[in-house]
Amino acid sequence: MNTTELYDAFRSDVVDLERPYLWSDTEVFGYMDEAQIMFCRLAGGIPDVTTDAVVKVPVTAGEEYSPLHPSILHIRQAHLVSTGRELGLKNLLDAKTAGDDYGMVFQAVNEHRPGPVRGMVIGEQYDLCRWVSVPEADDEVKVSVYRLPLAQIVGEGQELEIRREHHRALLHWMKHLGYSKQDAETFDRAKAKENEDKFIAYCEKAKAEWERYKHKPRAIKYGGIGGVGEYGPSSIRRVW
């Protein structure tokens, strides 16, 4: 579906096909935009490793903080471009403690001193990260993220950024917003709540499916006593 097709589906579902419409075009496309954003917030976001404006974070000598793209919901990994070395990630809760992330030990007492970048602290402020240590030289960090949609939905013919199998689910949130409109001809508390519940349940299902997908199968060797296990001598079983 593109935005034109989703628009038509909404009008059909709420039986608002004759002008003057109960919900204006501006309202419908606004509901669509909010629905795609809310899907990403509840289901975990759009995985991205290729959009340079999002995944490339500048490192500036002497600058302890660097801007992050406002669409980023979650950073999965970070690598220093100059060396390819993976950086440890710390959040606000453990930013002041010494710990071990991805094999790198942070010493909180030294993390504000100049030196090679050893890690990234996130969650101290929206759209900013802090480097451990303060960078000695300009560089770049490439991150792997989950993010919000980049383009606002404003009209017909736009492509949705979430996968196509989720497009019709957006109608639930659109109808939730539509039936929440404070107007005698549109407000329906029961229908608004019903569609809200359906949307949230769908997002939970979509998130669970993605969690299963991104964890590859691994091999487990069953040896048991003397190398004989449940599945035979030194057998290997693939599990999820």
Side-chain angles (χ1 to χ4, degrees):
M1 279 186 170
N2 60 21
T3 55
T4 303
E5 294 166 321
L6 197 57
Y7 170 93
D8 291 339
F10 174 83
R11 291 265 182 231
S12 177
D13 277 10
V14 298
V15 196
D16 188 26
L17 302 172
E18 302 293 333
R19 294 181 183 274
Y21 294 134
L22 296 175
W23 292 275
S24 70
D25 286 356
T26 299
E27 287 173 323
V28 174
F29 287 115
Y31 298 159
M32 202 180 300
D33 186 59
E34 290 187 47
Q36 186 174 223
I37 290 172
M38 185 59 73
F39 176 84
C40 290
R41 290 174 61 191
L42 296 181
I46 300 167
D48 194 347
V49 295
T50 59
T51 306
D52 285 352
V54 176
V55 304
K56 290 187 176 181
V57 183
V59 176
T60 304
E63 296 292 332
E64 190 172 11
Y65 291 87
S66 288
L68 297 173
H69 197 276
S71 71
I72 294 175
L73 291 172
H74 175 66
I75 297 176
R76 296 181 286 173
Q77 287 183 315
H79 290 84
L80 199 63
V81 170
S82 62
T83 63
R85 179 164 54 86
E86 184 172 358
L87 300 179
L89 296 174
K90 297 184 75 177
N91 59 36
L92 182 60
L93 295 177
D94 56 15
K96 295 184 181 299
T97 63
D100 192 324
D101 290 287
Y102 299 103
M104 298 185 60
V105 176
F106 292 96
Q107 296 298 331
V109 68
N110 296 324
E111 66 180 24
H112 298 284
R113 296 179 180 177
V117 172
R118 297 180 292 127
M120 172 187 275
V121 180
I122 55 179
E124 290 186 334
Q125 184 174 329
Y126 283 123
D127 305 335
L128 283 178
C129 67
R130 178 165 61 83
W131 303 115
V132 182
S133 308
V134 178
E136 291 180 319
D138 290 351
D139 208 324
E140 193 171 56
V141 168
K142 186 173 183 181
V143 293
S144 171
V145 305
Y146 294 118
R147 63 167 174 81
L148 296 171
L150 299 178
Q152 182 181 4
I153 295 174
V154 295
E156 297 183 356
Q158 293 180 244
E159 296 298 324
L160 299 167
E161 290 192 62
I162 63 173
R163 289 170 60 95
R164 62 180 180 82
E165 63 263 32
H166 305 307
H167 292 178
R168 287 200 63 86
L170 299 183
L171 290 168
H172 292 311
W173 194 254
M174 293 171 66
K175 287 184 282 187
H176 161 67
L177 295 174
Y179 289 125
S180 298
K181 179 181 175 181
Q182 299 298 305
D183 183 278
E185 294 185 278
T186 59
F187 182 73
D188 189 319
R189 189 187 308 274
K191 288 184 178 179
K193 184 64 167 64
E194 176 188 1
N195 280 282
E196 179 185 27
D197 291 344
K198 287 181 177 179
F199 182 78
I200 291 172
Y202 183 88
C203 290
E204 290 175 351
K205 178 182 176 182
K207 185 175 183 177
E209 288 178 349
W210 173 245
E211 290 295 324
R212 289 194 298 270
Y213 173 81
K214 71 182 183 181
H215 288 96
K216 66 180 181 180
R218 61 189 185 277
I220 297 180
K221 185 175 181 180
Y222 293 85
I225 299 174
V228 179
E230 178 183 355
Y231 298 92
S234 300
S235 62
I236 292 179
R237 179 192 180 199
R238 294 188 72 79
V239 298
W240 290 97

